[in-house]
Amino acid sequence: QAFPSTISPPTLEKPAASFRSSRKPSGLPAFQVLCDFDGTITKTDVTLAVLEAFALPAFREWELRWERGEITSRECMSRQVELIQADLPTLIRFAASLHIDKGIVTLQQQCAQHGIPLIIVSDGIDRLIEAVLRRHGLSSIPVVSNHLVWDGNGAPSLSFPYASPDCLIGAGTCKCAVATFFGLSLKETIYIGDGRSDRCISTMAQKVYAKAGLREWCDLQGVAYEPFETLTEVTEHLFRKVGCFA
C-alpha cells in the first residue's frame, strides 16, 4: 500500500487521557519515544502466539482475509479474539512466559534518566502486554492498545478506545491519532517498530528505527529509517549523542 506524500493525522473516535511531555534534554532529537510491542519488545507476536495456542482454527481464515486486504486489522482482530477458548488467567500466564528483547530494559532506564517519555503504542491486546511488562518489572511504561474484555457469558471480545475512523490502515489502535491526540508532535517523535501497523506513523515521525517487515516496506516506499535488530542497538544509537555510550 502506498501512502500520499502529505498525510493529515487522523482523529480518535473516543477521547483519551493525556501524557505530559518532559522538557527536551539538549543533545537528543525528540521529546518522546513511541515503541511498538509485538515483535519489537517481544521476540514473537504475542497476539498471534495466543491465537495459535488457544483459538479455534478459523482464526487463520480471518488472518488470510486481512493479509489480502479484504478486511481491516480492526475487524480481523475482533473476529479472531471471539474464537479464543481460554480464560483470562490462562492467557496471562501464557503471555508472561514469552521472551522479550532485553534491550527494552536499558531503553526504559535511559529514557527515564534523561527525561524522555517512553510510551508503548500497540495494535495488540492490553492485558497480554501488561502481563509481559509485569513479569519483567516494566509496568511503569505507559501502554496504549486495544482493550480485552469478557462478557457475562465468559466470552472474550475487544474494544478499541484508540481507533480512528480516518485511519489509513484500519487499525484498532491508530498510532498517528494517538500521538497527536496526546499532544505529542510527530515531528519530535522517535518511533520504533517492525510491522504493518507501524507503516503510517513511520511516514510522519521525525526518526524511525525499523526491522523485519517495516524495514522492507520503508525501503519500498522510500521512507528514511535506521535499521536495527535489537533494542540495545536502538538505545546505544540514540543515547550515544549525549555520551551515555562510548
Side-chain angles (χ1 to χ4, degrees):
Q1 179 185 2
F3 283 86
S5 58
T6 301
I7 301 175
S8 297
T11 56
L12 289 173
E13 291 183 356
K14 297 180 180 180
S18 62
F19 291 109
R20 178 177 296 178
S21 294
S22 300
R23 181 174 61 84
K24 181 180 178 181
S26 61
L28 286 179
F31 279 113
Q32 60 272 328
V33 176
L34 303 186
C35 187
D36 175 53
F37 184 77
D38 288 296
T40 300
I41 291 176
T42 54
K43 294 190 174 182
T44 59
D45 185 315
V46 175
T47 302
L48 184 57
V50 163
L51 291 171
E52 289 177 339
F54 301 109
L56 297 174
F59 87 86
R60 295 186 178 87
E61 298 173 14
W62 293 107
E63 191 79 8
L64 289 173
R65 291 189 62 185
W66 171 67
E67 291 174 354
R68 293 194 296 261
E70 298 173 3
I71 58 174
T72 65
S73 65
R74 181 176 177 179
E75 180 179 357
C76 178
M77 288 192 65
S78 290
R79 301 292 188 177
Q80 290 177 322
V81 164
E82 292 171 354
L83 298 171
I84 291 175
Q85 306 293 295
D87 59 17
L88 182 58
T90 299
L91 299 185
I92 287 176
R93 285 194 299 271
F94 178 83
S97 71
L98 299 176
H99 296 293
I100 65 167
D101 179 338
K102 295 297 181 63
I104 185 59
V105 176
T106 306
L107 178 61
Q108 189 275 332
Q109 291 171 344
Q110 289 295 324
C111 284
Q113 180 178 336
H114 291 89
I116 295 289
L118 170 63
I119 304 166
I120 294 171
V121 184
S122 172
D123 200 23
I125 299 174
D126 58 354
R127 305 298 291 271
L128 305 182
I129 296 171
E130 291 161 3
V132 174
L133 296 179
R134 188 164 51 247
R135 164 78 184 276
H136 296 280
L138 296 168
S139 295
S140 62
I141 303 176
V143 175
V144 176
S145 63
N146 305 314
H147 180 51
L148 180 64
V149 295
W150 258 259
D151 64 21
N153 297 319
S157 64
L158 279 183
S159 64
F160 302 96
Y162 304 103
S164 168
D166 305 317
C167 184
L168 291 172
I169 60 174
T173 296
C174 181
K175 299 182 179 184
C176 300
V178 164
T180 54
F181 189 89
F182 286 141
L184 308 178
S185 169
L186 288 169
K187 295 303 181 184
E188 296 170 334
T189 293
I190 289 169
Y191 189 77
I192 308 168
D194 78 315
R196 193 163 171 175
S197 69
D198 307 312
R199 292 178 180 180
C200 187
I201 194 170
S202 295
T203 67
M204 291 189 281
Q206 184 200 68
K207 189 175 188 66
V208 176
Y209 289 90
K211 71 173 185 176
L214 179 62
R215 179 176 174 177
E216 296 171 3
W217 183 86
C218 286
D219 282 334
L220 291 173
Q221 298 294 321
V223 175
Y225 68 93
E226 290 286 344
F228 80 98
E229 293 300 327
T230 70
L231 292 174
T232 298
E233 295 173 29
V234 174
T235 306
E236 291 177 353
H237 186 271
L238 178 58
F239 289 96
R240 185 180 296 121
K241 295 184 178 181
V242 290
C244 299
F245 296 93

